[in-house]
Structure formats: structure tokens, C-alpha cells
Amino acid sequence: MEVSMAGKGAAVCFCLALGASICVADVREDVRQNAEGQIAEGKILGAVVAAKDFAPLAVGNRVVDPSPAAMGVETRFDCASVTKTVVAMACARLAAQGKIDVDRPFTDYLTDHVLAKENCEITVRDLAMHVGGFRGDIRYQQQKDYREFRRIAMELRPAAPRGSYSYECINMIYVGWIVEKVIGTDLAAAAKKLVLEPLGMTQSGWGPLAADANVAFIPVALV
């Protein structure tokens, strides 16, 4: 089971992978009861459940303020850091097409990075696995101007040896920029072409969700 969950008081989206020997009806009822229990305990507002061989299930509400609005099977969710998975999938597809070599130094693609002139050994694969040695840097995280954001990010040096694990946004930001450079479009278009459209995700998009009648509430503090 995969679960995307924003936290207490939020909405949640479940995706189930079921084996052939499992009774789908039993699983559906178990999941419904689990979701309704979490709603009753105030842990989530509502849930959408999808699994192979049965129709999606919507439980609870997508918002409660200013008034309750029921969750629907077409409700859209802000995926936040789950977008890292989309970036990784886009990179993997380009690798399968021979357009990205994940075992080459990432600076072969991001030639404007400060490490490009220093015989960098950190590979694209290292970035995707969060083992390149990079750590978060408050300077780039606080930048609202994109050009300044990128400039600082391109000056960032590893804070730990290559091979040491640390889950950091900057790793997938670099991978996303590599995808953009190789495919020749921005990441929104690349994600749509390489991942979203092939999966039939016609209502999915890249970037923050604008509040509308089909979006689940996610607390601002958790985004």
C-alpha cells in the first residue's frame, strides 16, 4: 500500500496494490472502516482509495471550512514532495531512451555548477538516491527570485562525503534541471510528456494547486 498524507486534519489519498488471491470486497470494506475510523479520530478529513479491479472509493470530506464538502473520486491532491517521484520517473524514462546516463557525473549535464571544473564524481544516480553528500542550504531555500535561487544552488558544495545518505530537496532539484536540459522544455512540460500523459493522468499538473471545487484541503503549515 502506498499512502500520500499531509498530516492531521488533512485529506489523504491511498493507492493499493492487491494480489490475485486477496478478496477485493473484503479489502475495500477494511479500508473504508480504517478511513472512517481516522476521520472519527480527527486524523484526516477524508480519503480517496483506489485499487485494481474495483471502482475508486471516496470517504469523508475534502474540506470542512467554511462548510463541509464531500470528498469525490475526482478530487485532486497537492502531492508536495511526492513530485520527487515524478522527477525520478522522468529521469528514468530518459535514461531508458539513452538520453541520460545516470552513472555519469551530474556536472556533465549541469555544466554551470561550481563542481564542473573540479573533476566531480557525484553521479546522477547519486543525486536520485540522495547519497551525493549535499545538505540543505538556507541561502537557496529562502530565495524567491528564481535566478538567484539557481545561482546559489549552483554554488552549493557537498557537506558530506559522497555515499553518505541525506534526504534533501536539492538532489531532486538538480535532477529536475537535468531533465529540463536534456528534453529541452521546462519541468512542467517534461513531467506531462514523460509521466503524466503516458499514465493517463489527465487532471494532474505541475506546480501548486489553485483552490477550486475539486481540490482537497491541505494545511498551509504542512505544505
Side-chain angles (χ1 to χ4, degrees), residues 69-219:
M71 187 73 73
V73 297
E74 298 296 330
T75 296
R76 293 181 296 139
F77 295 79
D78 188 330
C79 290
S81 279
V82 178
T83 53
K84 291 182 176 69
T85 303
V86 178
V87 173
M89 291 173 65
C91 180
R93 291 209 64 199
L94 291 174
Q97 296 170 11
K99 297 178 180 179
I100 291 178
D101 182 346
V102 297
D103 292 313
R104 285 176 59 185
F106 82 98
T107 51
D108 285 0
Y109 301 96
L110 300 183
T111 56
D112 52 335
H113 195 281
V114 66
L115 298 181
K117 301 176 182 179
E118 301 179 14
N119 195 29
C120 176
E121 295 183 352
I122 300 170
T123 66
V124 178
R125 186 189 300 274
D126 291 335
L127 296 178
M129 295 177 65
H130 297 274
V131 295
F134 289 103
R135 299 291 187 268
D137 187 315
I138 197 67
R139 293 182 305 148
Y140 83 78
Q141 294 173 346
Q142 291 183 334
Q143 295 304 315
K144 295 183 179 180
D145 180 82
Y146 176 77
R147 287 175 297 182
E148 184 65 6
F149 173 93
R150 184 181 174 104
R151 184 190 68 77
I152 294 175
M154 287 301 179
E155 294 178 351
L156 188 62
R157 295 176 179 275
R162 179 189 174 205
S164 57
Y165 175 81
S166 182
Y167 177 79
E168 302 287 346
C169 291
I170 191 62
N171 292 307
M172 297 311 293
I173 290 172
Y174 287 149
V175 174
W177 283 338
I178 291 170
V179 169
E180 287 184 330
K181 184 168 184 178
V182 170
I183 199 172
T185 67
D186 62 26
L187 198 53
K192 182 177 181 180
K193 178 179 179 180
L194 294 169
V195 181
L196 303 181
E197 286 185 344
L199 291 175
M201 299 171 70
T202 59
Q203 296 188 58
S204 300
W206 193 263
L209 281 175
D212 62 32
N214 200 33
V215 172
F217 168 76
I218 294 182

Side-chain angles (χ1 to χ4, degrees), residues 13-32:
C13 179
F14 297 82
C15 179
L16 308 179
L18 304 179
S21 62
I22 297 177
C23 176
V24 173
D26 289 346
V27 172
R28 183 184 177 91
E29 184 56 28
D30 286 347
V31 171
R32 179 195 293 275

